[in-house]
Amino acid sequence: MPAISQKGVAMPESPIRKLVPFAEAAIKQGKTIHHLNIGQPDIKTPQVALDAIKNNQVEVLAYSRSEGSDQYREKIATYYAKHSIDVGANDIIVTTGGSEALLFAMGCIADAGDQIIIPEPFYANYNGFATASGVEIVPVISKIENNFALPPIEDFEQLITPNTKAILICNPGNPTGYLYSKAEIQKLAALVKKHDLFLVADEVYREFTYGEEPHYSILQEAGLEEHAIIVDSVSKRYSMCGARIGCLVSKNKAVMKTAMKFAQARLSPPTFAQIASEAALDTPNSYFEEVKTEYRSRRDTLIAGLQEIPGVEVGNPKGAFYCIAQLPVNDSDKFAQWLLESFDLDGETVMVAPAAGFYSSAGVGKNQVRIAYVLNEDKLKRAVAILKAALAVYKD
């Protein structure tokens, strides 16, 4: 029998999606599942984006340009200007989701065996993207005890080797919800300039911040133009996960010239989705204010409920719509599966994402889960009640 590639064997399963078969079996048993496991917002997609698809005059669904249409990229640049990010259309390549933007970034800056330092826990698919690119992730651990703040800059510096090519952050963070401060970004900026590294920032949750401190982009930091690469997406911003449109943004001309070759190799991003995404840029600011108010309220409801469960420790998210909760269990993978297979409260159960898959350090996060607060408050309260009842009877 022909052998599977080592890369294929090493490719990690998604901690978010691997429990789907157990969820499907639970539904067949008649259980109602409260999905806290995946970042699929229940917020309505802006009508302007839906109307752009419904009312378009396209007669031939043709390829777009490899970098995305000029008109769309010009509008993206205008969007960034509103966020004090000075870029032009030529600094932007439209991608098939933020996922492709991350793959392009890794392909542009790292060869097989090179290293990228990432604070963990981090978005689980970074592991998969790195494996696909032959890149080694070097983790620097942030801790729930200090709300997953940026680790000391000395922790980063001692990990830098001749093979280190970049530091990658997600801001605000998935899965922690942590929002890096301007001072923390400036520390990272100084470090990458000192060691001539790239600083890659996944900023797809830019709009979703809940305190007094605003989001500070790496491309707002003066002097970082040759080092900074932004990964972005419409998925969460406009509740358009199915559009699969993102972008790669950098003022480094060598990076963008290289990324363009990757873009040409896959031909073009999807045409209809670009039409919808371009229209979404006309979404009024009131939409985001309403969405932020809703998520802030959901966050407060969820965190307050979790804090009342004996033995549970939880971070306090400053952005995005996730939190990491530390549970009084030994193995959250087994617990998450048990919730679906063997537990219900009046016919209802919950689905969570085991957090070990959001780390690359072996054995870390085994008693943690990621919870996405993408349900309304009544459903969140019910989900917390179910989780509390489950933990009261669960035996490792």
Side-chain angles (χ1 to χ4, degrees):
M1 177 177 172
I4 298 298
S5 70
Q6 288 302 307
K7 182 184 292 185
V9 172
M11 181 66 71
E13 286 185 297
S14 167
I16 305 165
R17 294 176 179 268
K18 68 182 182 181
L19 292 170
V20 168
F22 301 103
E24 291 173 343
I27 291 170
K28 287 180 180 178
Q29 293 170 14
K31 295 180 184 178
T32 297
I33 299 175
H34 296 276
H35 289 273
L36 304 175
N37 61 303
I38 193 164
Q40 171 59 64
D42 64 348
I43 304 296
K44 190 177 184 297
T45 302
Q47 192 62 42
V48 66
L50 299 175
D51 288 345
I53 294 295
K54 187 184 303 181
N55 303 325
N56 79 87
Q57 303 301 313
V58 172
E59 295 182 354
V60 177
L61 196 58
Y63 292 123
S64 75
R65 292 179 60 170
S66 293
E67 66 268 46
S69 73
D70 284 345
Q71 184 173 319
Y72 180 35
R73 288 183 298 118
E74 290 285 357
K75 287 188 71 172
I76 296 173
T78 300
Y79 157 82
Y80 283 127
K82 294 176 183 177
H83 292 270
S84 303
I85 300 171
D86 180 21
V87 294
N90 289 336
D91 302 318
I92 300 166
I93 291 177
V94 179
T95 57
T96 308
S99 299
E100 187 176 70
L102 276 161
L103 284 167
F104 283 4
M106 289 187 179
C108 289
I109 66 177
D111 291 311
D114 284 339
Q115 299 172 335
I116 296 178
I117 300 172
I118 312 179
E120 62 178 358
F122 50 72
Y123 176 45
N125 281 339
Y126 293 168
N127 278 321
F129 300 144
T131 301
S133 302
V135 172
E136 179 187 352
I137 289 177
V138 178
V140 53
I141 297 177
S142 58
K143 298 179 180 179
I144 197 169
E145 290 78 14
N146 62 355
N147 204 29
F148 301 106
L150 187 76
I153 212 70
E154 295 79 12
D155 291 0
F156 286 88
E157 193 151 30
Q158 69 182 9
L159 295 173
I160 294 173
T161 74
N163 291 331
T164 305
K165 299 299 179 182
I167 294 171
L168 168 60
I169 60 171
C170 185
N171 186 34
N174 173 7
T176 65
Y178 186 77
L179 176 68
Y180 292 111
S181 67
K182 179 177 179 179
E184 288 173 323
I185 295 297
Q186 289 177 329
K187 288 179 181 179
L188 288 171
L191 183 65
V192 298
K193 286 190 285 187
K194 176 182 176 181
H195 293 276
D196 200 21
L197 306 174
F198 288 102
L199 179 58
V200 183
D202 182 343
E203 297 186 353
V204 305
Y205 299 97
R206 180 184 298 107
E207 266 75 13
F208 306 122
T209 61
Y210 310 119
E212 296 296 322
E213 193 168 13
H215 177 266
Y216 186 71
S217 172
I218 61 172
L219 274 176
Q220 289 176 262
E221 179 65 19
L224 206 60
E225 292 80 8
E226 296 302 312
H227 302 267
I229 301 172
I230 288 178
V231 167
D232 212 339
S233 170
V234 306
S235 289
K236 309 306 166 69
R237 181 167 301 132
Y238 304 110
S239 196
M240 290 172 59
C241 296
R244 308 313 305 135
I245 290 290
C247 62
L248 185 73
V249 187
S250 180
K251 297 181 78 70
N252 184 309
K253 295 188 185 306
V255 166
M256 298 309 287
K257 182 178 179 180
T258 305
M260 184 60 176
K261 291 187 283 187
F262 285 94
Q264 290 170 342
R266 63 78 165 102
L267 302 183
S268 68
T271 299
F272 263 147
Q274 285 186 82
I275 292 171
S277 300
E278 181 180 330
L281 287 167
D282 294 327
T283 302
N285 194 56
S286 58
Y287 171 89
F288 296 107
E289 292 306 317
E290 291 173 8
V291 171
K292 282 174 63 172
T293 298
E294 175 66 20
Y295 278 134
R296 186 184 295 112
S297 182
R298 292 179 182 190
R299 177 202 62 176
D300 294 345
T301 295
L302 174 66
I303 299 304
L306 290 172
Q307 288 174 337
E308 293 179 359
I309 301 177
V312 171
E313 184 176 356
V314 62
N316 188 29
K318 298 180 180 181
F321 37 70
Y322 309 99
C323 72
I324 289 286
Q326 192 159 286
L327 307 180
V329 302
N330 292 322
D331 189 327
S332 61
D333 278 277
K334 291 181 180 178
F335 175 67
Q337 184 174 330
W338 174 84
L339 282 170
L340 297 170
E341 284 190 312
S342 306
F343 180 81
D344 69 87
L345 183 65
D346 299 325
E348 300 174 74
T349 191
V350 295
M351 189 173 181
V352 295
F358 296 89
Y359 292 83
S360 64
S361 295
V364 181
K366 291 288 288 181
N367 62 340
Q368 297 176 353
V369 295
R370 186 194 73 169
I371 295 175
Y373 43 97
V374 291
L375 306 178
N376 65 44
E377 286 187 67
D378 287 341
K379 289 182 178 179
L380 283 175
K381 289 177 182 177
R382 179 59 177 164
V384 169
I386 293 167
L387 186 62
K388 182 177 181 179
L391 286 168
V393 298
Y394 180 68
K395 305 295 182 184
D396 276 313

